[in-house]
Amino acid sequence: MTARAADRARYDRATAHLDAPLAIVDLDAFDANADDLVRRAGGKPIRVASKSVRCRALLERVLAKDGFAGIMSFTLAESLWLARSGFDDILLAYPSADHAGFAELAADPKLATAVTVMIDDPAQLTLIDQARDGGREVVRVCLELDTSLKLLGGRVRVGARRSPLHSPAQVADLARAVARRPGFEVVGIMAYEGHIAGVGDAVAGRPLRSRAVRLMQATARRELAERRAAVVRAVRAVVPGLEFVNGGGTGSVQHTAAEDAVTEIGAGSGLYVPRLFDNYTSFTGRPAALFAQPVVRRPGVGAVTVLGGGYPASGAAGADRLPVPYLPEGLRYDPQEGAGEVQTPLLGSPADDLLIGDKVWFRHAKAGELCERFDALHLVEGDRVTATVPTYRGEGRTFL
């Protein structure tokens, strides 16, 4: 029996009393992935990206481990909810235009101490001030650096379109603008290198593309390490008491941790290890989050149909954004139908061994987005479900 076949047998036994559709997290794999992230971080604390987890119970579990400290959230409403739930170190990774949320933040000492908001433009400070509604608490802010690699005098750009702040002078100028405004304090710098941390460099069947990605990433790492260090020096000249410099992502943990300027690493997808993280030379994780769909039809030889399953991930549309049939091994989509809204035909010889009601296990393309489809995660240890915990959706929280 292969390792994957053994996993299928475990998952089927663990959930035999549960009807699909359902989602699980294999805690043995989750914990092993967490330990590997800590090893790769080389002693620097890991701030957990909540968008890649979207389950309070699992955030609590990973933050109880040595090597993890703090949350990187994705909306202000989520940040305030987590702070009220007892989490006390939350970095909002994206700028917000949530006026009501900023009014709450500026009026509550506990929230203002626990939550740090992201800015990359003085206009965002103005929006916060306009939203204060009399609140006088000092708002903690983090400055975001654009990590993109610019070539040929800026005519070629590699990386996400995030912050407009690219140079040390630009980031230092914004730090000075914050220092001149009462009610704000610069406490950190964030620089997420998505083109390094979030792009696989060993794509099966694409050797030339993979080599090109590795060359690009090596160039980008060198350029960013030098520029990030210069940015930190420039900002510390304005804000000597800077508390943290956040960088990284699951795919680049060990490289970013090696930079002296970086004090903490942001990562989250490496806990669940969705399918988009199969194609890396820098690490190999264990799939920990899966979902099961039930077989409801057997339309012919070498074919079964499962209920639902059309759960695409965000990003540029493409086959790599679809879930992948994972267990039993050897199933594939019908190219004429793909992953469907209410039914999904699957082809391949393993289909002939599946009966009506059997489970087919899938892996989502991205990490936490799976939790937007399910209100609970069944936590599996060995061949038993030892707990069932709500996702954000299960707690009535759909932030985006």
Side-chain angles (χ1 to χ4, degrees):
M1 181 181 291
T2 66
R4 278 174 60 173
D7 283 342
R8 180 194 175 201
R10 285 196 302 114
Y11 301 150
D12 282 348
R13 286 195 300 271
T15 62
H17 62 298
L18 299 170
D19 288 332
L22 59 85
I24 66 168
V25 169
D26 183 333
L27 289 181
D28 293 335
F30 181 90
D31 290 343
N33 292 334
D35 292 343
D36 189 58
L37 285 169
V38 171
R39 177 190 62 79
R40 291 167 57 207
K44 292 188 176 177
I46 299 171
R47 186 179 291 275
V48 183
S50 63
K51 78 178 183 67
S52 300
V53 179
R54 301 193 200 202
C55 171
R56 279 200 299 166
L58 290 176
L59 289 173
E60 290 168 354
R61 183 183 184 92
V62 73
L63 286 169
K65 295 177 176 292
D66 290 340
F68 290 86
I71 290 175
M72 178 181 288
S73 59
F74 58 94
T75 73
L76 182 55
E78 179 209 15
S79 305
L80 301 178
W81 176 63
L82 290 174
R84 290 196 177 94
S85 301
F87 297 96
D88 60 5
D89 180 6
I90 303 158
L91 170 63
L92 174 56
Y94 304 87
S96 176
D98 181 350
H99 288 76
F102 282 127
E104 291 181 49
L105 181 68
D108 189 318
K110 178 184 174 182
L111 297 179
T113 299
V115 177
T116 299
V117 304
M118 191 66 59
I119 68 165
D120 56 33
D121 189 314
Q124 292 152 354
L125 300 175
T126 300
L127 185 149
I128 295 170
D129 272 337
Q130 291 171 344
R132 283 180 181 271
D133 193 27
R136 296 179 178 275
E137 296 300 320
V138 172
V139 174
R140 294 164 53 88
V141 300
C142 178
L143 312 179
E144 182 169 3
L145 169 68
D146 170 36
T147 65
S148 64
L149 175 65
K150 295 185 177 182
L151 304 170
L152 302 178
R155 293 191 295 276
V156 175
R157 173 197 180 98
V158 181
R161 295 185 181 276
R162 292 176 63 112
S163 170
L165 308 176
H166 191 79
S167 70
Q170 289 174 314
V171 185
D173 283 347
L174 183 55
R176 280 188 282 271
V178 176
R180 288 193 295 266
R181 293 185 76 137
F184 296 94
E185 179 186 13
V186 173
V187 297
I189 298 171
M190 189 188 85
Y192 170 59
E193 55 267 33
H195 53 302
I196 303 171
V199 178
D201 64 349
V203 181
R206 306 285 298 275
L208 294 180
R209 171 179 168 79
S210 297
R211 186 168 185 272
V213 169
R214 288 195 291 274
L215 288 172
M216 176 276 291
Q217 290 179 340
T219 301
R221 280 197 301 269
R222 288 192 297 270
E223 186 276 337
L224 179 58
E226 189 173 308
R227 181 160 52 90
R228 179 155 41 199
V231 166
V232 172
R233 288 193 298 271
V235 172
R236 286 196 187 278
V238 180
V239 186
L242 197 68
E243 295 177 16
F244 65 85
V245 177
N246 181 283
T250 288
S252 67
V253 170
Q254 64 268 45
H255 300 296
T256 307
E259 295 182 34
D260 291 338
V262 173
T263 66
E264 63 174 40
I265 306 298
S269 295
L271 296 168
Y272 287 171
V273 186
R275 64 167 295 201
L276 282 178
F277 285 84
D278 286 346
N279 304 315
Y280 284 78
T281 58
S282 60
F283 81 105
T284 301
R286 291 173 55 183
L290 301 95
F291 68 93
Q293 304 295 115
V295 174
V296 292
R297 301 182 197 264
R298 290 170 51 86
V301 175
V304 293
T305 301
V306 299
L307 184 70
Y311 304 156
S314 61
D320 65 339
R321 301 288 144 168
L322 296 178
V324 61
Y326 184 60
L327 301 171
E329 296 181 65
L331 293 173
R332 65 186 186 279
Y333 292 121
D334 181 334
Q336 295 185 61
E337 297 195 46
E341 178 188 6
V342 291
Q343 71 163 39
T344 297
L346 298 171
L347 309 178
S349 58
D352 295 329
D353 296 322
L354 291 169
L355 304 177
I356 299 295
D358 283 352
K359 295 180 176 77
V360 175
W361 294 91
F362 293 76
R363 293 172 64 202
H364 202 265
K366 296 182 74 174
E369 292 181 22
L370 168 66
C371 294
E372 297 301 322
R373 300 287 183 168
F374 294 90
D375 61 9
L377 297 173
H378 302 286
L379 307 184
V380 173
E381 296 183 75
D383 61 358
R384 294 188 307 120
V385 171
T386 57
T388 298
V389 296
T391 61
Y392 280 11
R393 171 179 167 171
E395 297 198 68
R397 306 289 175 167
T398 51
F399 295 109
L400 279 178

